[in-house]
Amino acid sequence: MRGGAGLMVKITDVARHAGVSPSTVSYALSGKRPISDDTRQRVEASIRELGYRPHAGARALASNRSNVLALVVPLRAGIHVPVVMQFAVSVVTTARQYDHDVLLLTQEEGEEGLSRVADSALVDALIVMDVQLHDPRLALLRSLERPSVMIGFPLEPAGLTCVDLDFKAAGELCVEHLARLGHRAVALVGSPPEVYVRQTAFAQRVVEGFTAAADRNGMVSSVHPCEADPAAARAAAERLLREQPALTGVVVHNEAVLEPLVEAFEQLGLRIPGDLSVTAICPDELAGSLRLPVTSVAVPSAELGERAVQLLMRKLNGSDSVPEATLLPPRLTDRGSTAPRDAL
Amino acid sequence: MRGGAGLMVKITDVARHAGVSPSTVSYALSGKRPISDDTRQRVEASIRELGYRPHAGARALASNRSNVLALVVPLRAGIHVPVVMQFAVSVVTTARQYDHDVLLLTQEEGEEGLSRVADSALVDALIVMDVQLHDPRLALLRSLERPSVMIGFPLEPAGLTCVDLDFKAAGELCVEHLARLGHRAVALVGSPPEVYVRQTAFAQRVVEGFTAAADRNGMVSSVHPCEADPAAARAAAERLLREQPALTGVVVHNEAVLEPLVEAFEQLGLRIPGDLSVTAICPDELAGSLRLPVTSVAVPSAELGERAVQLLMRKLNGSDSVPEATLLPPRLTDRGSTAPRDAL
DNA sequence: CTGAAAGCGCTAACAG
DNA sequence: CTGTTAGCGCTTTCAG
């Protein structure tokens, strides 16, 4: 009843079976022109009965649309794998709602990979993650003529569509939260050094927001990049306590070390939130799953993926009013890892 | 110089520019028939100069090959995200070496998703992860006519191509390692209960191997499914010590709890490996990155991905001698978390 | 509301 | 070694 590679049911088969022309079958499928109820039913019945599936390649050739999106995922050090995965799944799921599929590309393929899938019409549009402040792919994406959405904001986003959590506001929100609780000295435990070196936008922005808010509130602040392993976390904790005895508030923007860092603080004799208030910028699932849940600003990977696809769909449909910048406002969830400083 | 959606350079343009026929360009590209050196050079120069990229859809239509593989990734609870991601990246990277791309599907799409991409000729072949012992997709995959490779072994793999780590042997290897060190009582801390309930092949096989080897060596053994969170890990550690005071060897097959479990044992006053020997079945990166590195049998995601693609390529090329079963032998790396029982 | 027919860009016989 | 040509299966004018 259904065919494999060789025995494909084609649109002419369906047409014959339903007693209509191929174009009518096509239009019944696409809805691009009105079909009488009676005809539509017969066509649909034939399609079901014969197990017809339009040939993707033929369709792409004739319609100039592949109904495939490219998703470029980063691989490099310092990016939290579950975030990437959740984002990817969200992109796939949302794309399916718009009848699109997703082609997976790795950052490694570089600009050549983007050109390849775009120029060969393998994909209709692209989603690019892990954008640097000065990303070498910007020029390419601008010239591509196929729509794209970037996750993250480069320094010069003009002419491109970007979506991201407002990481600067997220940094600020954490600090303001601590400020309201009366804390006077805060530290940011950030991403691994290499992330800053390669000028990853979101890491940099957190630092900006963190510092700005601390300054604004007259707080003492410091920033500490941290490698993504437990030993580094422990070392960072020790160093923090040694160098800044007055410290009462910490913001962690580094998924990999959040848990070991909290454990280290406790093993060093600090109670949380009694002696030290801790906030994080990380996925809610992570913050909530710890032995000691952490108050955090969510990195909403799933929502970002959904937004990215929706924006692309609007661009593909020629909608003219697609915003260049979409900054999701940070939302802080209190999980009890922060307390008023007066408590001391 | 290079075209966007509308201004595509096509094979006839290249042909004219190089002063040859379209078929010659096609053959120069595919190598499917001999081309004189001179002609080939002219064609290649024209391709470069015009920035020609073959239209993927047209190619798929004419050649009956899309050069795209489908990869179905699992989403469900109890699967370790980094393993999936590393596997996916390995599949993409390897596929590129064979000039193929990878379409990402989620398990959620189910059998319908498989049929869709296979029957529409969107993909040439499929890779399916997270196979259950009685996987509902088996029948479909057998009937599909497009080649597929499964990661994992169902109970009835006849007619299908499967690749996996030999999890049974992995379980055995861990136990044998402990037996050789003189341990007499061992416990397996396994995957979350739901993983066993849904009869995930690899989890089951580890239990088999673990138990068989323990019995063979006259050891006392027990199996403990464990939820994938730190609290559960701690609870499991306490329970183990309470219920089995004679316990001196533990095998952990649960990436999510390895680290908290080890920490819990230590906090409960056990030195590793002095009082307790710990081994794990998990990615080498995880075992090696812990504060206290753990002796482990590697789950070789990257190699599995590579193998899967290679097998598919052989099947696509009509190679007849493609093995139905590929079981990678387990390899144990000693990281010092095990010691002779005599030391006690 | 429906049909007929002209391609979409490429590959693979077939012919030389 | 190279050219000519007939499709691949679908969409979309153009006609009615």
Side-chain angles (χ1 to χ4, degrees):
Chain A
M1 186 154 152
R2 188 153 20 39
L7 2 149
M8 284 248 313
V9 178
K10 52 188 78 159
I11 199 170
T12 50
D13 298 329
V14 176
R16 192 176 328 113
H17 186 274
V20 298
S21 74
S23 60
T24 296
V25 176
S26 176
Y27 285 119
L29 242 25
S30 70
K32 289 190 182 173
R33 87 181 184 189
I35 303 278
S36 77
D37 244 37
D38 176 54
T39 308
R40 154 167 290 118
Q41 315 240 306
R42 280 213 320 289
V43 169
E44 282 170 357
S46 299
I47 288 177
R48 258 194 314 279
E49 205 163 320
L50 301 178
Y52 170 64
R53 296 275 168 133
H55 186 290
R59 204 168 228 199
L61 179 56
S63 69
N64 205 19
R65 281 294 182 86
S66 67
N67 274 35
V68 175
L69 309 178
L71 171 63
V72 187
V73 301
L75 295 174
R76 303 184 290 188
I79 51 112
H80 188 60
V81 175
V83 167
V84 175
M85 191 72 189
Q86 194 182 355
F87 181 83
V89 167
S90 161
V91 165
V92 171
T93 306
T94 309
R96 285 304 307 141
Q97 292 171 15
Y98 293 90
D99 194 30
H100 281 246
D101 277 286
V102 175
L103 200 78
L104 188 62
L105 300 182
T106 63
Q107 198 92 284
E108 242 177 357
E109 279 217 61
E111 306 178 46
E112 160 63 16
L114 296 183
S115 314
R116 184 173 58 79
V117 298
D119 293 346
S120 68
L122 224 195
V123 307
D124 296 331
L126 307 95
I127 298 176
V128 175
M129 300 182 70
D130 191 35
V131 177
Q132 316 295 120
L133 282 181
H134 303 277
D135 201 294
R137 299 167 296 186
L138 296 180
L140 176 61
L141 289 174
R142 283 203 189 83
S143 75
L144 227 42
E145 306 239 352
R146 291 193 197 278
S148 58
V149 167
M150 323 191 66
I151 308 305
F153 280 79
L155 223 44
E156 306 283 4
L160 294 166
T161 302
C162 305
V163 197
D164 210 350
L165 170 65
D166 189 338
F167 276 100
K168 181 166 181 225
E172 288 176 327
L173 182 52
C174 286
V175 173
E176 294 290 353
H177 178 75
L178 293 170
R180 269 194 297 278
L181 291 169
H183 295 274
R184 312 297 308 148
V186 292
L188 170 68
V189 177
S191 302
E194 60 265 34
V195 172
Y196 297 97
V197 169
R198 66 174 187 246
Q199 306 237 336
T200 303
F202 75 95
Q204 220 101 335
R205 295 248 157 69
V206 168
V207 173
E208 280 176 40
F210 170 86
T211 307
D215 291 354
R216 204 159 56 221
N217 286 280
M219 300 161 97
V220 177
S221 74
S222 60
V223 175
H224 308 262
C226 179
E227 293 294 349
D229 68 277
R234 200 182 166 82
E238 286 168 356
R239 183 154 158 260
L240 242 39
L241 297 195
R242 181 163 17 90
E243 297 182 0
Q244 307 184 50
L247 189 71
T248 62
V250 173
V251 178
V252 182
H253 180 216
N254 184 326
E255 286 89 353
V257 303
L258 179 56
E259 198 256 343
L261 195 68
V262 166
E263 297 293 330
F265 281 135
E266 294 220 307
Q267 277 170 35
L268 290 168
L270 294 180
R271 280 160 311 143
I272 297 173
D275 302 319
L276 187 68
S277 285
V278 175
T279 69
I281 300 172
C282 71
D284 272 340
E285 300 77 53
L286 174 58
S289 76
L290 299 180
R291 184 176 56 76
L292 194 120
V294 169
T295 295
S296 73
V297 169
V299 173
S301 333
E303 187 180 354
L304 286 172
E306 192 179 339
R307 295 284 196 127
V309 172
Q310 288 168 343
L311 286 166
L312 270 189
M313 289 304 149
R314 288 172 60 185
K315 291 177 109 175
L316 282 173
N317 294 335
S319 169
D320 211 30
S321 60
V322 181
E324 292 207 335
T326 303
L327 270 181
L328 301 187
R331 289 180 322 152
L332 184 141
T333 302
D334 195 325
R335 295 193 180 81
S337 67
T338 56
R341 175 156 192 267
D342 312 338
L344 294 180
Chain B
M1 186 155 152
R2 191 160 7 47
L7 0 147
M8 284 247 314
V9 178
K10 52 188 76 160
I11 200 170
T12 51
D13 298 329
V14 176
R16 193 176 326 115
H17 186 275
V20 299
S21 75
S23 61
T24 298
V25 177
S26 176
Y27 286 119
L29 242 23
S30 69
K32 289 190 181 174
R33 83 181 186 190
I35 303 280
S36 76
D37 245 37
D38 177 54
T39 307
R40 156 168 290 120
Q41 315 241 306
R42 282 213 318 290
V43 169
E44 282 169 357
S46 298
I47 288 177
R48 257 194 314 279
E49 206 164 319
L50 300 178
Y52 169 65
R53 300 268 187 181
H55 187 289
R59 205 169 229 197
L61 179 56
S63 70
N64 205 19
R65 280 296 182 87
S66 67
N67 275 37
V68 175
L69 309 179
L71 171 63
V72 187
V73 301
L75 294 174
R76 303 184 290 187
I79 51 112
H80 189 58
V81 175
V83 167
V84 175
M85 191 72 188
Q86 196 184 354
F87 181 83
V89 166
S90 162
V91 166
V92 171
T93 306
T94 309
R96 285 305 305 143
Q97 292 171 14
Y98 293 90
D99 194 30
H100 282 246
D101 276 287
V102 174
L103 200 77
L104 188 62
L105 300 182
T106 62
Q107 198 94 283
E108 243 176 356
E109 280 216 62
E111 305 178 49
E112 159 63 16
L114 296 183
S115 314
R116 184 174 58 79
V117 298
D119 293 346
S120 68
L122 224 195
V123 306
D124 297 333
L126 306 96
I127 298 176
V128 175
M129 301 181 69
D130 191 32
V131 177
Q132 314 297 117
L133 282 182
H134 302 278
D135 202 295
R137 299 167 295 187
L138 296 180
L140 177 61
L141 289 174
R142 283 203 189 83
S143 75
L144 227 41
E145 305 241 354
R146 292 194 195 279
S148 59
V149 167
M150 323 190 65
I151 309 306
F153 280 79
L155 222 45
E156 304 284 5
L160 294 164
T161 302
C162 305
V163 196
D164 210 349
L165 170 64
D166 189 337
F167 276 99
K168 179 163 182 227
E172 288 176 327
L173 182 52
C174 286
V175 173
E176 294 290 353
H177 177 75
L178 293 170
R180 268 193 299 276
L181 291 169
H183 295 273
R184 310 299 306 150
V186 292
L188 170 67
V189 176
S191 302
E194 61 265 35
V195 171
Y196 296 96
V197 168
R198 68 175 186 248
Q199 305 238 342
T200 303
F202 75 96
Q204 221 100 334
R205 295 248 158 70
V206 168
V207 173
E208 280 176 39
F210 170 86
T211 306
D215 291 354
R216 204 159 54 224
N217 286 280
M219 300 161 96
V220 177
S221 74
S222 60
V223 175
H224 308 261
C226 179
E227 292 294 348
D229 68 277
R234 199 181 168 81
E238 286 168 356
R239 182 152 159 262
L240 241 40
L241 298 194
R242 182 164 15 90
E243 297 182 359
Q244 308 184 49
L247 188 73
T248 62
V250 172
V251 178
V252 183
H253 180 217
N254 183 327
E255 285 89 354
V257 302
L258 179 56
E259 199 255 345
L261 194 67
V262 167
E263 296 293 330
F265 281 134
E266 295 221 307
Q267 278 171 35
L268 291 169
L270 293 181
R271 279 160 313 141
I272 298 172
D275 302 317
L276 187 69
S277 283
V278 175
T279 69
I281 301 172
C282 69
D284 272 340
E285 300 77 51
L286 174 59
S289 76
L290 299 180
R291 185 174 58 73
L292 194 120
V294 169
T295 295
S296 73
V297 168
V299 174
S301 337
E303 188 180 352
L304 286 172
E306 192 180 338
R307 294 285 196 124
V309 172
Q310 288 167 345
L311 287 166
L312 271 190
M313 290 303 149
R314 288 172 60 186
K315 290 178 110 175
L316 282 173
N317 293 335
S319 170
D320 211 31
S321 60
V322 181
E324 292 207 337
T326 305
L327 269 181
L328 301 186
R331 289 179 324 149
L332 184 142
T333 302
D334 194 326
R335 295 194 179 81
S337 66
T338 56
R341 173 154 195 267
D342 313 338
L344 293 180

